[in-house]
Amino acid sequence: MGRARLYGVVAAAVGSALCLTACGVGGGGGEAADDRPSVQQTSRIECAEQGKIAASGSSAQQNAMRHWMREYQSACPGVQIRYVPLGSGGGVAQFLRGATVLGGTDTALKPEEIAFSRDVCPGGSAIDLPMVGGPIAIGYNLEGVDDLVLDARTLARIFDSEITRWNDPAIQRLNPGVELPRTSITAVHRSDGSGTTQNLNAYLAEAAPDVWPYPKEKAWQAKGGHSASGSDRVASEVLHTDGAIGYFELSFAKEGKIPAVRLDTGASEPVAPTAEAASKGIAAAADVGAGKDMTLEFDYRTQAPGAYPMVLVTYEVVCATGNRTDVLPALKSFLTYTASEEGQQGLSRIHYAPLPEKVAAKVRDVVSSLS
């Protein structure tokens, strides 16, 4: 079995949650389908006539994915899509096992993962397609405090259990005039492999390297704290725990009415996590991918006015070549929609950052070449 054995055989439980074979997703037999989507007259979306897409991954994008699926399937009733928010690590693992045809991850594939993907992408390998961006909000629950400023060094010390009370002098210096209670800090992190964690690690490692010694990995390695699986559960822990602080995509903060920290980046004013502020950071990112891969590299130390530096982009992981013919038309149709102006324009209303048009246009070009 080679590389595939390293990722194991898909368990029955995973299959029941993800694999839609029993509903007609599986099976590569039959005649090859035409991969040119047909046009539905009632929508600007170019719909595939039929198809079933099994997908899983990043919980940071689950609210965006829910929005896209609702809009797309309303216009294209012949296509069924299942997205399970397992977290970035789970999404990549399921894709590399062949359990899904699309994986959502908040960090690009590693070289060894691209190598493993050749087992599920006959004649090619997987690529990363940025699809949705947004700020990582630092949400908190502190009675009587509805505006809080922190910087990278202080955040690093909080999440590494070096600052344990809210009235610590380091926090007070950043919030003059604010009456901070002596409440104990409950720092909540992800228990599952998470691209959101990896992006937070990358931000702290770049912006506060002398106090954050941990690698830019999906697994949490700092000391102490509480843990929860998925962005939704981290947000829930913060919402229901006095003195808590945690990290999650902005839409979860908005949904739960959880106040979010403003970051002191060294600019003239602290920056709040907003879709607009995150888009400024994404627009400045460099495309460092090879070939059709579109990995982006961010500047976490930016001090540009109004730019929020703690951002992430969720990538959709797909095979550049070797996609199943029974899935390819629906996959291309759906991803063309999500990267379109129509697919991106509604994201800011649900607190995501739309892709800059130059990035979205390149994504659409790559999607059109999938085979």
Side-chain angles (χ1 to χ4, degrees), residues 265-319:
T265 65
S268 57
E269 293 290 336
V271 184
T274 66
E276 180 183 7
S279 288
K280 290 182 180 180
I282 296 169
D287 183 348
V288 297
K292 294 180 180 180
D293 185 84
M294 291 185 62
T295 300
L296 302 180
E297 187 173 80
F298 299 104
D299 178 10
Y300 294 108
R301 296 189 182 189
T302 182
Q303 297 183 2
Y308 189 82
M310 199 188 311
V311 295
L312 62 77
V313 162
T314 295
Y315 300 92
E316 312 307 342
V317 176
V318 296
C319 293

Side-chain angles (χ1 to χ4, degrees), residues 18-20 25 52-56 80-83 99-102:
L18 291 174
C19 185
L20 300 179
V25 170
K52 296 180 181 179
I53 299 172
S56 69
Q80 297 179 32
I81 306 168
R82 171 80 62 84
Y83 185 80
T100 59
V101 296
L102 184 151

Side-chain angles (χ1 to χ4, degrees), residues 217-250:
E217 298 291 342
K218 294 176 183 176
W220 186 260
Q221 299 185 46
K223 301 187 296 287
H226 291 219
S227 65
S229 177
S231 294
D232 52 349
R233 291 178 182 168
V234 172
S236 180
E237 286 284 331
V238 172
L239 180 63
H240 296 102
T241 307
D242 185 36
I245 186 170
Y247 58 94
F248 29 79
E249 201 280 329
L250 180 61

